[in-house]
Amino acid sequence: MKKAVVFDVQRYSVHDGPGIRTVIFFKGCPLRCRWCQNPEGLQPSPELGFLPERCIRSGNCASACADGAILSGKKRIDRTRCTLCGDCITTCHAEALKMIGKEFASDELMEEVSRDRPFYEDSGGGVTLSGGESLLQIDFVEEFCSQCREEGLSVVVETCGAVPYDSFRRIIPFVDLFLFDVKAIDPSLHKTWTGSGNERILSNLERLAESGVPIIARVPIVPGHTALPSNLNQIADRLEGSFPEVHLMPYHRWGESKIDLTDSPQPSLDLVAPDHEDMGAVEEIFARRGLSVRVGG
Amino acid sequence: MGESAAREESHLPLARGCTDRIGMLRQEVLTTPWELCIQRARCYTDVCKTRTEEPIEVRRALAFRKTLEETPIQICDGELLVGHRTSKRVGSPLFPEVKPAWIEAELDFFSSREFQRFDVSEDDKAILRSEVLPYWQERGARERFSALISPDSEEALATAVFFVEHEFANGVGHCVPDCQMVVELGLNGIQTKIEEQLGGLDTTTPDGMKKSQFLRAASIACAAVSRFAMRYGELAREMYREERDARRREELLKIAEICSRVPGQPPRTFWEALQTVWFVHLGVTLDDGGVAQALGRLDQILLPFLVADLEQGLVSRQEALELVECLFLKTSETVNLLEAIATVGVGGNTSFTEITIGGVDRHGQDATNELSFLFLDAVEEMKTIQPNCAARLHSKTPAEFRRRVTDVMAGGSVSLQVVNDEVIVDAYAKKGVPLGDARDYAIIGCVEPTPAGLTYASTDAFFVNTALCLEMVLGGGKSLVLGTAGADTGNPRSFQTFGAVMDAYRAQIAHFIRHLAICFESIGQAHAELLPCPFQSAVISDCVERGLDVKQGGARYNFTGGNAIGTAIVADSLMAIKQFVFEEESISMDEMIEVLQNDFEGREDIRQMLLNRAPKYGNDNDEVDEIARELVDIFATELGNYPSPRHGSFSTSLYSVTAHVAMGGMISATPDGRKLSAPLSVGISPGQGRDRGGPTLAMKSAAKINYLNVANGSSFNLKFHPSAVRGEAQRESFSNLIRTYFRLGGQQLQVDVVDADTLLAAQEHPEQYQDLIVRVAGYSARFVDLDRTMQDEFIARTEQARLG
């Protein structure tokens, strides 16, 4: 039985595809976008997380740890010693220590998402795969998506696109909608901002469109980065004609709140989020090409 | 009311979209200082002192008439609907005959107390002290109850496990008059009916004689209200003569015409019908001073008038909306002076006046109409706490209406709630109410449904602290904090099974509900003997036909409703006992009791275990949800063992207004990890912050309660960050969320779209706000887990989102 590493299952999500959806956050991502809003989802394997605000200083974790990996202070965990055995978590009733990433079998995940089935039925919602990048765990994802199709659950996949096209090909029959990130057209800018080139991403986008599966392009609007007018114009030019629907996703700083949760190498961007006016100007760039635009999903 | 509406009016956003007139009236009503008016108290005292030869019904009718004849009246600038309950613009009368003791004790503090300040002049205070209060000192209904109550019930009452003072808060309140009957017959028509009844009576019998006294009183009261309206007609005519502004002259003339006609004669227009409803409300609220005298299904009652007026071009939709908004502002003028203890946390809401819209008709067909939409416009534009508005939804509610209701809720109108027709109608059918009457229910007060116009409902009569009952189980028959005694349920340390804990809990509930029922026999008697309500009885069916006052059982249906407080906390506590003491044996009963007695002092790790390691109600966990369901059933079953006053039945509800705070304040720490004195859970909502899975799972838990046993209503609250309900697609999802909740069997819902203040509170008390829903596409987090800086930014953006 294939298992997935998932770091959150978030119900009543209303910006990630139509209707009321349950978003499954898969762990692991091929990109390292500077503005990442879920930095705890970058590493593919489970990590020990620490929420200092919750700690009641019971000392139970230090007593439970056989490897001497519990430090005092805000970081708390000596990751060079920690073996991820989870013994400290068992004793931390305050839930200050928690495992970021839990293994799920397809059936287990199906049970989780099925609890909201009545809400999907009335709202036209369903399941959304997010992350991280769910398609890095394609064997599991294929099995799970096919199971969703059998169960009559709608599936939306949010993707950064930086995976072999074969991963898309395997799940197309089970997916109702792809929310496909487009961050930059210029390969060098893309590499600067995300740590990776975009040739495969853009080619995947074209090929996916040829398959006929519904796609909405999602463009993060990050000041001083993707929000550069030249970049946005290039993106809009590329989308015009083939991708009529675009979601513009304004940068926000809330992901930075989670940087210390794990030992993420992600530095804080610390930008000012675009305001209503800024977004209006961005919207105009896409709208004047006849694209249907929505801000925030 | 929306329980979340417990905030001061001054915090309310400005009205948007309304006319200048309404904007001005709203500003005046919301900023006018509240004043005490002693007119009613003087009139009642004078008549009761001097007309002792009359039976009590007639004496009170004469006092009622004197009040309506002698209270100075005014028509304020710009008003289209007229009529004040007192001589003041925003004022409260006094009801010394109900419970005089507190008035004397608090008189000097009315203008300086913490909540709900009322100005009162020194002269008025002197009159109250010399003329009024001494007379009532030993004649109040509350004093009668004290004299009637048996010693052992008095002892049970003193434990504060149950609270029965609400029927003495100026009166019983909590009814819906039969405005349908009034608009059809006019009060003159009702008087004719009374005369016919009188004519057919056999007054040679004691019963016939008694009935004739009631009918005479009801007739005097009806005539008094008709005459009261005519005083306004005369005043309007005088003002018309003085007025120079042509437009206002026209309005005053219209007012004069309307008030010389209604409510004596049946209304002919929408304006007249609204004015009729308002005069009836004033009459009812001067007869009985209890809060939450509801207005009923106004979209049903008033529709024919609106349709006819629109057809004849007498009124435009915009003018009709303005009239409805005038009514809304009128309800904001009627405030109630309450005992200081009853004002804590109630905020700006003091009359709990409710309007009901939408739903099915008596035949089960959808009855949503254009007036239902018009009322929603008024709710949205006024953003006042008064009146509360309940939208009835059912499986065939037009999608457009449901969406409009949920949009107004999502827009932050805290005074709007939704209730589920199917569930409520079934609950009344189970109580033996015929389907037609059950379908014609209206909401009273906070959330309480009741067959409209036919019921003496008293929906807010008692509160039972179920968490204190559990505390008494753990204290072996005594509370852990106060040491007061309940039923002797034995030493809990010797309990061998979880079933023994449940049995002991049931025994405590049974013990206190028995005493509660005994208390109500006396309370009912005190009301029947001392506080008949001749006008209210004239406008509630079938009092005239039966020749009986509402207080003596004249209404078609009689209920006495009250609340189980703390259901979620008790369910979570029992679940923790079951798991940790009996299944895992990770803590002994002895140790559990000890840590609770010490309020977890030095044992925070155990508290965190209790909080986080056992399932909590509100997360769709069958095991603990089943306990919650059983708690409600136990409560309802025990109440069902006793008749209520007026040959009625007791009725269960699950809302708490602010009682969860007061009742939590007096009890020990609980096995769910709640600390000493912390609030109990709100209504049937999960414990504060315990529903971590979001609204869908919380709703699934709440839908498992057997609402067939909860005819008196429940409140279920959800908090949303504006990010979750802004945007067209998000609004549609929000609407569908509610649709699904009702399809699953939920009874009621109100939402709080949080403001920055709430988020600041969440920063300070993250434990209570674990449930706060923040939603941004593709983003995983809970507000309480964000770090401080990010929370601050979120708070800053929240206000933009709310206003944007």
Side-chain angles (χ1 to χ4, degrees):
Chain A
M1 183 66 103
K2 302 175 201 79
K3 290 204 172 190
V5 182
V6 165
F7 68 92
D8 198 9
V9 175
Q10 185 169 275
R11 300 169 192 283
Y12 195 67
S13 294
V14 289
H15 302 86
D16 306 277
I20 294 169
R21 310 197 76 85
T22 301
V23 179
I24 304 164
F25 292 90
F26 287 80
K27 208 153 156 31
C29 187
L31 301 186
R32 290 294 179 271
C33 305
R34 290 180 175 184
W35 53 82
C36 179
Q37 58 176 342
N38 297 318
E40 77 278 31
L42 293 173
Q43 298 293 337
S45 56
E47 294 168 88
L48 186 57
F50 178 60
L51 293 157
E53 307 275 322
R54 288 178 170 263
C55 177
I56 58 166
R57 290 164 196 84
S58 69
N60 289 352
C61 50
S63 318
C65 181
D67 305 304
I70 300 294
L71 307 169
S72 55
K74 210 182 165 199
K75 284 274 173 189
R76 191 60 45 101
I77 305 152
D78 181 347
R79 294 184 191 275
T80 59
R81 294 187 170 205
C82 176
T83 60
L84 291 176
C85 69
D87 287 352
C88 58
I89 295 174
T90 319
T91 65
C92 181
H93 297 316
E95 298 185 337
L97 288 161
K98 68 171 184 178
M99 198 63 84
I100 314 284
K102 194 184 152 208
E103 290 202 335
F104 279 89
S106 187
D107 286 347
E108 291 168 336
L109 205 50
M110 182 55 68
E111 198 180 314
E112 278 297 307
V113 302
S114 294
R115 296 167 74 190
D116 279 335
R117 182 187 280 273
F119 296 95
Y120 308 149
E121 288 166 0
D122 286 327
S123 70
V127 179
T128 296
L129 277 46
S130 184
E133 173 55 59
S134 67
L135 298 186
L136 287 186
Q137 304 185 51
I138 183 62
D139 290 344
F140 176 91
V141 164
E142 182 182 12
E143 179 181 329
F144 181 68
C145 288
S146 102
Q147 207 177 339
C148 284
R149 178 50 54 102
E150 278 168 34
E151 296 280 333
L153 294 182
S154 141
V155 175
V156 170
V157 175
E158 288 175 348
T159 179
C160 71
V163 294
Y165 183 74
D166 192 54
S167 301
F168 287 103
R169 189 193 51 78
R170 287 163 66 183
I171 59 168
I172 286 172
F174 316 121
V175 175
D176 297 278
L177 172 68
F178 282 94
L179 299 170
F180 200 117
D181 280 7
V182 184
K183 289 153 186 152
I185 301 300
D186 180 298
S188 67
L189 281 179
H190 197 276
K191 182 146 176 76
T192 310
W193 293 334
T194 73
S196 165
N198 61 357
E199 293 80 359
R200 182 165 64 172
I201 295 172
L202 295 175
S203 121
N204 282 343
L205 179 63
E206 298 296 333
R207 292 179 70 181
L208 198 57
E210 284 163 22
S211 78
V213 68
I215 301 170
I216 294 174
R218 287 199 147 179
V219 184
I221 306 301
V222 185
H225 298 69
T226 59
L228 296 172
S230 55
N231 184 50
L232 294 176
N233 276 302
Q234 287 172 17
I235 293 175
D237 286 342
R238 179 65 68 101
L239 297 178
E240 189 180 348
S242 319
F243 302 93
E245 271 193 85
V246 186
H247 289 176
L248 304 177
M249 318 306 285
Y251 164 82
H252 59 80
R253 296 175 56 200
W254 302 315
E256 293 171 27
S257 181
K258 301 186 287 184
I259 286 176
D260 289 338
L261 188 60
T262 60
D263 220 10
S264 163
Q266 175 95 359
S268 169
L269 257 191
D270 206 17
L271 300 172
V272 176
D275 62 19
H276 200 68
E277 208 174 305
D278 299 335
M279 288 310 296
V282 174
E283 222 175 316
E284 175 55 27
I285 293 176
F286 291 84
R288 68 168 170 251
R289 288 172 171 82
L291 299 167
S292 154
V293 192
R294 187 194 287 179
V295 174
Chain B
M1 98 168 148
E3 305 214 27
S4 51
R7 56 175 81 166
E8 297 291 340
E9 296 269 5
S10 58
H11 292 175
L12 290 171
L14 291 175
R16 284 198 267 184
C18 59
T19 61
D20 290 347
R21 176 205 311 277
I22 295 297
M24 180 198 77
L25 286 172
R26 182 180 182 277
Q27 186 64 21
E28 283 174 3
V29 168
L30 297 187
T31 54
T32 300
W34 298 358
E35 292 177 273
L36 181 64
C37 171
I38 65 165
Q39 193 74 34
R40 182 191 180 281
R42 285 185 89 177
C43 291
Y44 271 66
T45 307
D46 183 46
V47 171
C48 289
K49 272 182 189 171
T50 56
R51 301 297 297 271
T52 47
E53 80 283 4
E54 292 286 2
I56 183 73
E57 295 86 346
V58 176
R59 218 182 305 155
R60 281 180 58 85
L62 293 172
F64 180 74
R65 182 173 77 188
K66 186 177 169 71
T67 306
L68 294 179
E69 280 171 349
E70 297 185 3
T71 300
I73 61 170
Q74 58 179 322
I75 293 173
C76 302
D77 203 19
E79 279 191 319
L80 296 178
L81 291 183
V82 301
H84 291 86
R85 189 174 170 220
T86 67
S87 59
K88 317 292 185 187
R89 175 85 188 253
V90 182
S92 174
L94 271 182
F95 298 79
E97 73 274 26
V98 180
K99 185 180 178 184
W102 68 274
I103 303 174
E104 172 74 51
E106 297 182 13
L107 187 52
D108 285 325
F109 308 106
F110 287 158
S111 59
S112 60
R113 60 191 198 170
E114 193 175 355
F115 304 105
Q116 297 182 7
R117 291 181 185 162
F118 281 83
D119 292 336
V120 49
S121 72
E122 291 304 319
D123 287 351
D124 284 354
K125 279 190 208 171
I127 292 169
L128 287 173
R129 287 211 165 97
S130 60
E131 286 178 26
V132 175
L133 295 172
Y135 174 79
W136 294 107
Q137 207 168 27
E138 280 153 12
R139 292 183 173 87
R142 180 64 179 81
E143 282 64 27
R144 173 68 59 88
F145 166 51
S146 294
L148 291 172
I149 189 174
S150 68
D152 58 336
S153 291
E154 192 166 18
E155 199 182 313
L157 186 59
T159 62
V161 168
F162 62 96
F163 179 87
V164 296
E165 292 301 312
H166 275 189
E167 289 200 350
F168 297 112
N170 296 338
V172 174
H174 297 91
C175 273
V176 191
D178 192 346
C179 279
Q180 183 64 47
M181 173 173 72
V182 183
V183 298
E184 279 169 22
L185 303 178
L187 291 178
N188 297 349
I190 293 174
Q191 269 185 272
T192 308
K193 222 167 65 165
I194 291 170
E195 302 304 326
E196 284 166 14
Q197 287 294 319
L198 267 172
L201 279 182
D202 177 3
T203 43
T204 63
T205 66
D207 182 51
M209 181 53 74
K210 179 89 185 120
K211 285 179 177 174
S212 76
Q213 290 160 5
F214 160 73
L215 291 167
R216 189 153 64 89
S219 180
I220 293 168
C222 283
V225 173
S226 303
R227 172 71 200 121
F228 180 57
M230 287 180 196
R231 289 180 63 205
Y232 280 93
E234 288 152 16
L235 175 61
R237 200 168 293 276
E238 279 169 34
M239 290 171 70
Y240 159 78
R241 289 192 201 105
E242 303 291 316
E243 180 64 52
R244 289 165 185 272
D245 180 81
R247 191 174 152 210
R248 186 60 182 158
R249 275 171 65 86
E250 204 178 307
E251 287 167 5
L252 286 166
L253 196 60
K254 190 81 191 156
I255 291 167
E257 185 193 323
I258 291 170
C259 293
S260 59
R261 179 178 173 89
V262 300
Q265 299 172 64
R268 296 161 302 184
T269 65
F270 187 63
W271 192 344
E272 288 182 355
L274 277 168
Q275 186 65 68
T276 303
V277 166
W278 186 243
F279 276 126
V280 168
H281 182 70
L282 290 179
V284 166
T285 55
L286 281 164
D287 205 8
D288 176 297
V291 298
Q293 299 285 17
L295 298 177
R297 304 185 71 183
L298 291 188
D299 64 337
Q300 304 304 308
I301 296 167
L302 302 177
L303 180 71
F305 299 97
L306 179 67
V307 169
D309 283 9
L310 286 171
E311 265 174 23
Q312 293 168 38
L314 291 180
V315 74
S316 68
R317 191 180 187 282
Q318 195 53 40
E319 286 163 346
L321 177 61
E322 189 175 48
L323 286 168
V324 165
E325 290 178 344
C326 284
L327 180 73
F328 273 47
L329 294 174
K330 276 284 163 202
T331 68
S332 291
E333 286 177 345
T334 50
V335 288
N336 283 287
L337 176 64
L338 298 170
E339 271 186 271
I341 192 172
T343 64
V344 180
V346 180
N349 198 333
T350 75
S351 67
F352 300 89
T353 311
E354 185 99 32
I355 288 170
T356 303
I357 58 173
V360 295
D361 64 15
R362 302 183 69 90
H363 308 289
Q365 302 302 309
D366 176 59
T368 309
N369 60 50
E370 56 184 308
L371 195 42
S372 322
F373 284 91
L374 200 72
F375 274 101
L376 284 178
D377 291 352
V379 170
E380 187 176 49
E381 288 189 359
M382 290 293 90
K383 288 211 167 47
T384 44
I385 288 172
Q386 295 289 329
N388 303 317
C389 184
R392 292 178 42 169
L393 301 181
H394 58 99
S395 57
K396 296 192 186 76
T397 293
E400 190 193 354
F401 182 66
R402 190 190 65 241
R403 176 64 198 277
R404 178 81 183 114
V405 169
T406 55
D407 277 359
V408 175
M409 289 170 85
S413 290
V414 289
S415 62
L416 180 63
Q417 60 172 318
V418 286
V419 291
N420 188 353
D421 271 10
E422 277 92 356
V423 169
I424 289 167
V425 171
D426 284 355
Y428 271 102
K430 192 188 171 204
K431 278 182 104 54
V433 174
L435 264 183
D437 289 349
R439 284 172 179 147
D440 197 32
Y441 76 87
I443 299 291
I444 288 175
C446 296
V447 299
E448 307 100 271
T450 192
L454 315 162
T455 311
Y456 196 65
S458 188
T459 59
D460 191 49
F462 56 90
F463 287 74
V464 178
N465 189 339
T466 65
L468 186 46
C469 290
L470 178 64
E471 188 180 321
M472 288 198 173
V473 170
L474 298 175
K478 286 202 166 88
S479 73
L480 295 170
V481 174
L482 303 168
T484 48
D488 180 6
T489 44
N491 186 343
R493 294 165 190 83
S494 63
F495 290 169
Q496 297 299 310
T497 61
F498 175 65
V501 181
M502 286 301 290
D503 289 345
Y505 172 80
R506 187 190 303 264
Q508 295 293 350
I509 292 283
H511 170 79
F512 286 107
I513 284 185
R514 181 170 166 275
H515 284 295
L516 180 147
I518 294 169
C519 284
F520 270 101
E521 277 307 307
S522 309
I523 293 169
Q525 188 183 334
H527 274 281
E529 289 176 2
L530 300 178
L531 302 173
C533 290
F535 181 69
Q536 192 182 18
S537 302
V539 293
I540 288 185
S541 302
D542 308 319
C543 295
V544 170
E545 288 79 357
R546 293 180 179 180
L548 273 179
D549 192 277
V550 283
K551 292 289 183 67
Q552 289 151 3
R556 188 177 304 173
Y557 307 112
N558 288 278
F559 304 114
T560 299
N563 283 294
I565 303 293
T567 303
I569 296 289
V570 177
D572 292 349
S573 294
L574 287 165
M575 184 66 225
I577 292 171
K578 185 178 184 215
Q579 179 176 323
F580 296 120
V581 177
F582 291 100
E583 289 170 3
E584 296 178 4
E585 298 183 15
S586 45
I587 177 171
S588 70
M589 185 66 96
D590 190 53
E591 204 182 349
M592 174 76 89
I593 294 167
E594 197 190 321
V595 298
L596 298 180
Q597 274 173 324
N598 296 327
D599 193 24
F600 306 108
E601 182 76 41
R603 301 313 302 272
E604 183 61 19
D605 57 333
I606 290 192
R607 189 173 93 88
Q608 292 294 333
M609 177 182 84
L610 296 172
L611 267 176
N612 296 322
R613 302 298 204 207
K616 297 286 182 281
Y617 167 81
N619 297 282
D620 188 30
N621 173 287
D622 281 341
E623 196 176 2
V624 60
D625 292 350
E626 182 52 43
I627 294 175
R629 180 183 163 99
E630 192 176 348
L631 294 177
V632 174
D633 289 348
I634 287 171
F635 189 83
T637 305
E638 292 301 328
L639 273 179
N641 287 335
Y642 307 96
S644 77
R646 303 171 283 275
H647 310 291
S649 64
F650 285 107
S651 198
T652 298
S653 44
L654 304 167
Y655 63 88
S656 51
V657 199
T658 54
H660 58 284
V661 178
M663 290 192 155
M666 64 176 77
I667 70 165
S668 73
T670 40
D672 61 325
R674 179 194 140 278
K675 294 191 81 171
L676 170 76
S677 299
L680 298 175
S681 45
V682 178
I684 195 60
S685 305
Q688 285 82 344
R690 304 284 168 81
D691 48 329
R692 297 188 181 183
T696 57
L697 297 190
M699 285 174 159
K700 285 186 79 184
S701 286
K704 290 176 201 169
I705 300 296
N706 182 8
Y707 294 105
L708 277 181
N709 283 335
V710 191
N712 201 47
S714 59
S715 84
F716 179 60
N717 289 21
L718 287 178
K719 286 193 272 300
F720 288 84
H721 186 267
S723 63
V725 293
R726 193 184 37 196
E728 167 61 26
Q730 288 70 25
R731 291 278 170 99
E732 185 62 24
S733 289
F734 175 70
S735 194
N736 281 317
L737 176 76
I738 292 170
R739 179 175 161 211
T740 307
Y741 177 52
F742 279 6
R743 183 162 65 84
L744 294 176
Q747 187 182 40
Q748 186 271 1
L749 175 75
Q750 63 210 51
V751 300
D752 190 1
V753 178
V754 301
D755 53 16
D757 288 346
T758 311
L759 295 183
L760 288 168
Q763 276 190 323
E764 296 313 310
H765 307 284
E767 193 176 295
Q768 294 169 29
Y769 291 88
Q770 297 283 328
D771 55 332
L772 195 57
I773 290 291
V774 171
R775 285 292 181 266
V776 178
Y779 174 64
S780 149
R782 287 200 294 252
F783 176 78
V784 292
D785 288 341
L786 300 176
D787 73 26
R788 194 82 184 189
T789 341
M790 294 305 147
Q791 286 180 345
D792 286 343
E793 179 163 328
F794 230 112
I795 290 167
R797 299 187 111 207
T798 295
E799 281 310 285
Q800 295 168 13
R802 267 165 58 84
L803 302 173

